[in-house]
């Protein structure tokens, strides 16, 4: 299915690399792009010894709304310059509270684009936003590095393949992107020797080739580093401009526990990563 509707969760500070990527991505795919600014409402601690001053709460509320509106205005201007079909919205949530209001915007779309957490300009609940959207929206998520991306139309794409359902969903979600690429590499990482006959990754490579893609397979056996570092090093060595992979994790009491490789890649990524769960 073509990508015709994109939602991007806006950064509240900085140069908006995710919004810029989403808009250029939307231009390439002739898609409608919606910018969602999230206002994080203040929460009164339950253990507070005395009631919080009303003036303080109102000022914190006004500041949160103002930051979201500024991000929304920035997006509107970027969209005007790029010239794509667009709209912008604002969602209010309680800091530390449920994200249902955000998920309601994310679900009826083809792709959610969100920026990586920026350690120099941290935002409230950014990691929880990413995790919740990835694991609960039912929609593929494209993560954009906080340093931005020079390529808005990926041409050298790396597909991580381990035979899992999450990797399958990621590939199916990425078909419209992969079809526009010049080169697609299926990367298989074998932590131990595979006794099965045949080329690892051959079936999925054949599937992609039937979509008229230029596909190669690369198998890394017995890597000297973990899966995340192996992927990140491969991207650096081969100048890939997009990674497609499954996202692993589960929720427990609304606290999300990423699989180790997923978290490490999201923390250290230098190119956009398209994930599905």
């Amino acid at each position: 299915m073509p990508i015709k509707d994109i939602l991007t969760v806006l950064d509240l500070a900085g140069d908006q690399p995710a919004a810029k990527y989403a808009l250029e991505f939307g231009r390439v795919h002739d898609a409608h792009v919606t910018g969602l600014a999230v206002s994080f409402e203040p929460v009164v601690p339950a253990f507070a010894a005395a009631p919080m001053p009303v003036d303080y709460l109102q000022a914190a509320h006004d500041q949160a709304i103002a930051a979201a509106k500024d991000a929304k205005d920035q997006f509107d201007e970027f969209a005007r310059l790029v010239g794509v079909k667009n709209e912008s919205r604002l969602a209010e949530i309680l800091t530390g509270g449920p994200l249902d209001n955000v998920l309601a915007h994310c679900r009826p779309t083809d792709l959610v684009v969100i920026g990586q957490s920026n350690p120099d300009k941290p935002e409230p609940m950014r990691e929880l936003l990413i995790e919740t959207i990835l694991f609960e929206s039912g929609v593929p998520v494209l993560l954009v590095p906080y340093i931005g991306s020079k390529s808005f139309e990926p041409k050298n794409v790396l597909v991580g393949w381990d035979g899992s359902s999450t990797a399958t969903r990621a590939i199916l979600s990425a078909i419209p992107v992969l079809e526009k690429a010049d080169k697609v590499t299926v990367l298989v990482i074998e932590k131990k020797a595979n006794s099965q006959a045949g080329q690892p990754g051959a079936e999925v490579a054949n599937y992609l080739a039937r979509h008229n893609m230029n596909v190669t397979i690369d198998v890394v056996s017995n890597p000297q580093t973990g899966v995340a570092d192996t992927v990140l090093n491969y991207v650096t060595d081969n100048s890939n401009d997009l990674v497609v992979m499954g996202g692993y994790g589960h929720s427990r009491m609304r606290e999300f526990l990423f699989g180790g490789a997923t978290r490490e890649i999201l923390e250290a990524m230098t190119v956009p990563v398209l994930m599905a769960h």
Side-chain angles (χ1 to χ4, degrees), residues 11-17 20 71 74 78 118 121 123 146:
D11 297 329
L12 298 179
D15 297 328
Q16 298 275 12
K20 291 176 180 177
Q74 264 191 304
F78 292 151
N118 185 342
K121 297 176 181 177
E123 294 186 14
Y146 67 83

Side-chain angles (χ1 to χ4, degrees), residues 3-17:
I3 296 173
K4 291 301 177 184
D5 193 283
I6 299 170
L7 181 137
T8 179
V9 179
L10 305 179
D11 297 329
L12 298 179
D15 297 328
Q16 298 275 12

Side-chain angles (χ1 to χ4, degrees), residues 7 95 193 196:
L7 181 137
T95 301
Q196 295 181 352

Side-chain angles (χ1 to χ4, degrees), residues 180-201:
K180 292 179 178 292
D182 293 334
K183 179 182 179 183
V184 176
T185 302
V186 175
L187 178 65
V188 180
I189 300 173
E190 292 186 329
K191 292 184 178 181
K192 55 184 179 180
N194 189 346
S195 59
Q196 295 181 352
Q199 169 74 50

Side-chain angles (χ1 to χ4, degrees), residues 159-237:
V159 174
W161 179 247
D162 59 3
S164 67
S165 60
T166 55
T168 301
R169 291 191 192 101
I171 289 172
L172 294 177
S173 302
I175 290 293
V177 181
L178 298 176
E179 287 179 330
K180 292 179 178 292
D182 293 334
K183 179 182 179 183
V184 176
T185 302
V186 175
L187 178 65
V188 180
I189 300 173
E190 292 186 329
K191 292 184 178 181
K192 55 184 179 180
N194 189 346
S195 59
Q196 295 181 352
Q199 169 74 50
E203 289 298 326
V204 71
N206 287 336
Y207 168 75
L208 294 174
R210 293 183 190 115
H211 284 265
N212 299 317
M213 299 177 197
N214 175 20
V215 186
T216 60
I217 303 172
D218 206 345
V219 180
V220 177
S221 299
N222 302 314
Q224 300 304 304
T225 59
V227 171
D229 285 337
T230 301
V231 171
L232 294 167
N233 291 339
Y234 192 97
V235 167
T236 299
D237 293 343

